[in-house]
Amino acid sequence: MVQTMSDKQTVTPENGSQEFPQNTILKGVGVSVGIGIGQVVVMDRLVTEICPCRILTPEEIGDELARFENAVQEAEKRLNTIKSHIVADHPLGDHSYILDTHILLLRDKMLYEGTRRGIEQGRQNAEWALSEVMSRISTAFESVDDEYIRERAKDVYFVGERVLRLLLGVSTEKKIHQLPGNSILVVHDLSPADAAQIKRESVLAIATDIGGRTSHSAIMSRSLKIPAVTGLEKICRMVKTGDTIIVDGSTGLVILNPDAEMMFRYRQRQDLLRNYHQSLLAYGRLPAVTRDGSRTIKILANIELVDEIDIALAHGCEGIGLFRTEYLFLGREDLPSEEEQFEAYRAVLALNKPSPVTIRTLDIGGDKIASSLNLPPETNPAMGLRAIRLCLNLKGLFKTQLRAILRAAHYGNCRLLVPMISCITEIHSTKAIIAEVKAELGSEGVQFGEDTKFGILVEVPAAVAIADLLAREVDFFSIGTNDLIQYALAIDRLNEHVNYLYDTLHPAVLRLIRQVVNAGQAYGVSVAMCGEMAGDPVNVPILVGLGIDELSMNALSIPLVKKLIRSISYDDCLELTHQAFQMQSAQEIHDFLEKWIFEKFPGDYFLSQQ
Ligand code: PEP
Ligand code: MG
């Protein structure tokens, strides 16, 4: 992060944040274009910092002890409920010991007795007493070398936080859905569960300390049309609620304490961009056919929530190329029932009929954590028990989702997409479960989409290597470049420190894509792309040249991508692709493609970078 500021910073005593000179500029990673100017709401103060503190009268002590006891019992009840939901077919066999441990920790000597002592002897209210114990625990253990002990201390802290939230009467999630209008949301990290709660009418922009371009929170910000900058490292501590800031999601700049002239300049840019995007909308209604008429690319939208359909349709999507269904599971403590899922899938299918809707089966894991599943933490979640691996292990959960999807498929043009396939056995196992579900639905006399198409996300390099084998098993491929790049280039897509290496145009990535297209063409399997790469205008000519049949993207990108495809010829794309494949580095290819686009579409190039 670059910080431009004079050394005359002062610290305001009440909140610890600093007062910066006017127009202090922070540089992060712009992950969702557009400009937001508004008042900061910092959502990351720890629960312990918002605890009310009160000295009890001697008469109040008994009631306070009872209040604490009730909160502990309620926490125990909720942990038992979670346990009853998932123990039956948990992937790690009986891992209920983790929940049992948390239940036992509720009565941990340090935590439980320590809090009671604070109430009884210190005459502190329960929240205060508990938060003091929690602070002591984290201070005492944070410098311990032994990782195992540090992790156990974290468990105690986690359990304490659960009780604290119950005492405070706040939900376990941050209250992001209740932000006031015109807010600029500032958080340390925005989990996909947090992002799913955002109401786009009240959040003007998002700024976070950590996170990369293809993190799911970044993807959500783009879907919701909310400008966002991540990787600002310390913005949470630098600003306070009520400060005015500017977030420029295109350049990755955040301006603290802007003066009138700066505000004026940014408001002008905001107007320019608004008019530009408005003028592009007409292209959304047209097909993406190359200028010579020889190739038509289907342009679809990626969505996370049913609510995003209106934006997708307004921007001219020709169906949904990726419905990330796991968002139905995030930010809640229970699991969505078959009925709830069925209604969501049916709504999306019905709204798009007769266009296709590609429903991806659960891709939980990585940065998408469903607290209802209470899965144990993993050292390397991106390579852990996620997506199809988790579903094949949690067969009950998977079957419920498949029932809901197949039932909904009766109401539209449904395609089933399975994430993170890395070997053929996973396809066989998945198909066996689908067959089982179909047989059950059939014997119950329930209507379902018998001929639902079956496809896989090609996002693990191993799947690319055996694409010829996999092609014989599926109706379609969809290339998930977000993960494919992460795994092929060994770059954690969530880590802002290695983001500079995350290169869509790395020659290795282009060769992997070509391999998938070739396998698809050889076996008559259509090849789509639904990773973020598909929606970046700079990549469009090479993706057309490579022979991709379908591009699925953030809805906002659709009009510009259609405009570009309609203005270029297929022969030009083939020639450009041929030349790019002679080049040796991502930078060389990027410069070449950028120059090509710039020369042909200077206005669009300039404005799409804003
Ligand atoms: C991908 O990996 O490219 C993809 C589309 O899926 P997700 O971003 O949800 O992992
Ligand atoms: Mg993926």
Side-chain angles (χ1 to χ4, degrees), residues 216 219 322 324 360 363 368 459 480-483 493 530-531:
H216 286 93
I219 291 172
L322 175 64
R324 291 182 163 98
R360 177 172 74 182
D363 188 3
K368 289 174 289 193
E459 54 184 345
T481 48
N482 303 339
D483 276 313
R493 64 192 266 197
C530 63

Side-chain angles (χ1 to χ4, degrees), residues 104-375:
L104 283 176
L105 284 177
L106 286 166
R107 310 273 172 190
D108 170 79
K109 193 153 183 261
M110 230 175 350
L111 193 78
Y112 182 75
E113 295 300 341
T115 305
R116 283 183 58 90
R117 212 172 311 118
I119 298 172
E120 270 178 316
Q121 295 169 15
R123 287 174 46 195
Q124 295 168 311
N125 61 316
E127 293 90 335
W128 183 13
L130 176 56
S131 63
E132 285 229 327
V133 170
M134 287 164 63
S135 298
R136 281 203 296 275
I137 294 173
S138 42
T139 319
F141 287 93
E142 78 194 357
S143 55
V144 172
D145 271 345
D146 188 316
E147 196 187 332
Y148 180 81
I149 294 181
R150 267 201 325 270
E151 286 305 313
R152 298 296 68 77
K154 264 197 219 156
D155 283 341
V156 180
Y157 194 89
F158 168 78
V159 166
E161 226 174 33
R162 195 173 266 281
V163 178
L164 196 47
R165 285 181 185 277
L166 284 165
L167 285 166
L168 288 164
V170 296
S171 86
T172 43
E173 304 297 331
K174 296 180 198 118
K175 298 214 160 181
I176 285 180
H177 57 289
Q178 291 173 359
L179 288 175
N182 295 347
S183 299
I184 304 255
L185 176 61
V186 175
V187 282
H188 175 64
D189 185 17
L190 191 69
S191 74
D194 296 335
Q197 293 181 52
I198 289 177
K199 298 255 179 294
R200 63 173 179 263
E201 56 280 9
S202 51
V203 179
L204 295 176
I206 300 167
T208 70
D209 289 342
I210 62 174
R213 231 195 105 68
T214 56
S215 69
H216 286 93
S217 320
I219 291 172
M220 280 289 289
S221 320
R222 289 197 283 278
S223 301
L224 293 168
K225 276 179 133 172
I226 300 175
V229 176
T230 63
L232 290 155
E233 293 186 3
K234 289 197 185 107
I235 185 152
C236 251
R237 309 246 157 242
M238 295 172 83
V239 296
K240 60 183 189 306
T241 297
D243 285 357
T244 298
I245 64 169
I246 299 172
V247 174
D248 182 344
S250 318
T251 55
L253 299 182
V254 170
I255 293 124
L256 311 186
N257 210 0
D259 65 12
E261 195 194 326
M262 184 69 88
M263 299 268 273
F264 177 73
R265 266 186 19 219
Y266 269 94
R267 290 212 190 283
Q268 273 188 323
R269 272 190 57 204
Q270 256 181 336
D271 287 344
L272 183 75
L273 284 178
R274 215 171 279 136
N275 294 339
Y276 170 63
H277 285 295
Q278 201 59 34
S279 73
L280 280 179
L281 281 180
Y283 290 94
R285 291 188 282 275
L286 303 171
V289 52
T290 52
R291 200 182 60 210
D292 49 300
S294 64
R295 229 177 125 63
T296 304
I297 316 291
K298 288 260 166 256
I299 307 294
L300 294 88
N302 293 350
I303 60 163
E304 287 75 35
L305 308 169
V306 181
D307 288 355
E308 290 169 37
I309 289 286
D310 56 343
I311 295 191
L313 291 171
H315 285 76
C317 74
E318 298 160 13
I320 302 300
L322 175 64
F323 180 8
R324 291 182 163 98
T325 58
E326 54 279 1
Y327 279 84
L328 285 168
F329 291 69
L330 304 183
R332 55 194 288 174
E333 294 196 355
D334 59 343
L335 290 168
S337 64
E338 178 184 322
E339 228 34 51
E340 182 183 340
Q341 292 187 58
F342 164 70
E343 288 302 342
Y345 307 148
R346 185 174 64 165
V348 179
L349 281 155
L351 285 166
N352 281 278
K353 200 174 171 185
S355 300
V357 172
T358 317
I359 303 186
R360 177 172 74 182
T361 56
L362 264 181
D363 188 3
I364 292 289
D367 57 343
K368 289 174 289 193
I369 298 158
S371 38
S372 55
L373 295 174
N374 223 43
L375 294 163

